[in-house]
Amino acid sequence: MHAVRNIRLCTKDCLCLYVCPTGATDTESGQIDATKCLSGCRACVDACPSHAIFLIPDEYPLQQKKTNDVKKALLTLSESKTRQEQLALTITKTSDDPIVRQLAQALSISNRLLAEDVLREAGYMLPQSQNVKDFLQSLLDTPQPEDFPIKTVEKLLSIL
Amino acid sequence: MKKYICPICGFTYNESVGIEEEKIKKGTKWKDMPSDWVCPLCSTKRVDFLEEAIDVALNEKVPFSEEGEASTLRKLSIKEMSALCSNLSKGCEKQYRNEEADLFKQLSEYFKNKGDFTKDASFKDLSNLIQKDLDTNYKNAKNVITKSGDRGALRALVWGEKATNILSSVIKRYDKKKNELLENTNIYVCEICGFVYIGDEAPKICPVCKVPNMKIVQVKRR
């Protein structure tokens, strides 16, 4: 567990500079140097008056198991929501009426969020879970178009 | 005493509490409410409210998965892969893993610009899919997921169905009023749950997911 700072909450009281035993908080970037931060120390977390510093775990829990029935029900919805997003995006590209485009844009954003939410609940909550790694690996194992960003996928697999 | 729930925003009328601000005394039965009464949060008509169902017994806890479970039942479409990757990008951001967040974002964009574009589309097409979600897909999913006791998935359904009800109502309103609906006002989307709002100012909190309006963004006219 090491500390990170939410710069949106930080009110620059800078008690973290004072209490940190290793000087990990003494950076210009506004972030805490993870290589110096002592795992589980939390002196800065407890000192911060704005609750802008918190600990993030080095290991997250395993992905919650999803039954096939649940996945199937959620994937029916993700299919519908992504089709709706697609229709809305098409309207934004083909209409010459700014108000129609504006409404369609809002609908496309909403449908993207709705699709993301059901997919996340279909077994892809955590980026470092085995499900996500399997998904990325499946992209490498199946034939892809020439412009497919293989390197991006390989990089992700190596650092997740 | 019963409770009645707004299908759009989730506002609950509790007969045993009433609504003090509207001078509806506690103990006022639903059938005795004024006939022109509308939801104080989102103006939905009284007749559209639903009686609260009694909750089912607590479900067993869903176990965590061991490694290597087959992740999906079918191959995801390109557009689903785009949505999956944009969500994983957000997931990485929350964990302060910026490099991974960027990579997932690149993948998401790649899929977004790929593949099957429909040539023409109308709000009517959208409306048909929305109606099918509301008539069938959410109902089926609710049955299955309530039985499974998966609280996270159920949460996604509850919010999703509310947001979808709103999309349905927005398109119906547009159908009636056309551009007049938006001409002199604004449109907003809640970045957390997809709630869409038409009005001069975003509500203080999202009526669906209760996030403060710093997460409710305006969609500009271009």
Side-chain angles (χ1 to χ4, degrees):
Chain A
M1 303 273 272
H2 70 277
V4 291
R5 177 189 292 130
N6 182 341
I7 207 76
R8 279 195 222 169
L9 296 177
C10 173
T11 45
K12 318 294 185 286
D13 298 87
C14 296
L15 284 165
C16 55
L17 298 186
Y18 166 59
V19 299
C20 178
T22 66
T25 51
D26 189 15
T27 62
E28 291 290 315
S29 69
Q31 271 314 332
I32 294 164
D33 185 345
T35 60
K36 288 190 192 165
C37 178
L38 297 178
S39 179
C41 152
R42 69 174 293 129
C44 58
V45 177
D46 295 333
C48 178
S50 297
H51 309 291
I53 306 180
F54 54 96
L55 295 178
I56 53 172
D58 301 318
E59 269 186 49
Y60 281 83
L62 289 171
Q63 169 63 46
Q64 182 186 6
K65 193 172 173 61
K66 299 288 172 172
T67 65
N68 282 346
D69 286 350
V70 169
K71 278 188 249 175
K72 204 171 152 193
L74 293 171
L75 289 179
T76 304
L77 284 165
S78 70
E79 208 240 331
S80 177
K81 300 305 180 192
T82 45
R83 276 177 63 198
Q84 290 172 52
E85 183 195 14
Q86 207 50 42
L87 288 169
L89 281 174
T90 303
I91 298 173
T92 64
K93 288 192 181 117
T94 53
S95 173
D96 46 19
D97 182 336
I99 292 185
V100 169
R101 290 202 301 266
Q102 183 189 20
L103 177 61
Q105 176 72 12
L107 297 173
S108 79
I109 296 171
S110 172
N111 274 297
R112 164 61 60 122
L113 290 159
L114 291 168
E116 285 182 348
D117 201 13
V118 284
L119 284 165
R120 171 167 67 166
E121 284 297 342
Y124 297 103
M125 183 68 74
L126 290 168
Q128 54 274 74
S129 68
Q130 192 59 39
N131 283 353
V132 171
K133 288 177 187 160
D134 289 348
F135 160 69
L136 292 171
Q137 189 59 48
S138 77
L139 294 173
L140 296 180
D141 293 346
T142 46
Q144 297 290 354
E146 240 169 59
D147 60 346
F148 182 75
I150 294 178
K151 289 226 155 56
T152 308
V153 178
E154 285 173 345
K155 178 78 189 166
L156 270 170
L157 274 169
S158 73
I159 59 179
L160 272 176
Chain B
M1 291 288 162
K2 288 176 179 165
K3 291 179 182 172
Y4 294 82
I5 297 169
C6 173
I8 302 288
C9 73
F11 173 82
T12 303
Y13 175 73
N14 186 342
E15 289 181 337
S16 56
V17 176
I19 307 174
E20 204 185 333
E21 303 84 53
E22 300 192 13
K23 303 209 164 50
I24 296 175
K25 286 199 195 109
K26 58 183 177 187
T28 305
K29 293 274 192 225
W30 184 247
K31 63 176 170 52
D32 301 328
M33 298 273 281
S35 58
D36 58 351
W37 183 85
V38 295
C39 174
L41 289 183
C42 71
S43 306
T44 292
K45 289 192 192 121
R46 194 181 71 127
V47 291
D48 294 330
F49 271 60
L50 304 168
E51 190 181 330
E52 187 190 52
I54 305 300
D55 271 354
V56 291
L58 281 181
N59 292 293
E60 276 173 52
K61 217 171 175 210
V62 180
F64 287 100
S65 112
E66 294 306 320
E67 301 292 279
E69 165 204 8
S71 48
T72 44
L73 303 171
R74 62 163 166 82
K75 203 172 172 313
L76 298 176
S77 73
I78 287 182
K79 303 306 168 192
E80 285 174 315
M81 291 197 238
S82 176
L84 174 59
C85 289
S86 59
N87 194 249
L88 291 169
S89 175
K90 289 181 191 169
C92 290
E93 244 173 71
K94 288 171 205 163
Q95 295 179 18
Y96 287 70
R97 298 175 74 145
N98 295 329
E99 188 182 4
E100 291 91 328
D102 277 348
L103 292 166
F104 272 122
K105 203 170 177 189
Q106 286 168 28
L107 261 187
S108 171
E109 287 299 310
Y110 171 81
F111 290 127
K112 192 172 183 179
N113 297 318
K114 257 298 178 236
D116 46 326
F117 278 97
T118 38
K119 288 222 167 47
D120 47 30
S122 65
F123 289 129
K124 181 81 194 133
D125 299 330
L126 264 164
S127 177
N128 291 339
L129 288 175
I130 289 172
Q131 208 48 49
K132 196 175 169 214
D133 283 347
L134 293 174
D135 291 344
T136 322
N137 295 341
Y138 277 111
K139 287 204 174 75
N140 290 346
K142 250 189 191 164
N143 277 338
V144 169
I145 288 169
T146 307
K147 268 184 216 141
S148 78
D150 187 326
R151 297 179 63 211
L154 194 58
R155 191 275 311 148
L157 283 191
V158 171
W159 289 5
E161 190 176 21
K162 284 180 187 171
T164 306
N165 264 312
I166 288 165
L167 295 183
S168 165
S169 123
V170 164
I171 292 184
K172 276 183 195 143
R173 280 152 70 198
Y174 183 78
D175 211 36
K176 266 194 206 131
K177 296 176 83 175
K178 301 291 179 225
N179 283 2
E180 207 187 298
L181 179 69
L182 279 170
E183 215 150 29
N184 299 310
T185 190
N186 301 318
I187 184 163
Y188 299 85
V189 183
C190 170
E191 280 183 320
I192 302 301
C193 71
F195 161 72
V196 171
Y197 180 79
I198 295 171
D200 293 346
E201 266 181 64
K204 284 208 171 60
I205 60 161
C206 170
V208 175
C209 72
K210 319 297 180 217
V211 74
N213 66 10
M214 62 194 260
K215 296 283 186 190
I216 303 178
V217 296
Q218 191 180 343
V219 180
K220 293 268 165 62
R221 194 172 302 160
R222 294 204 170 84

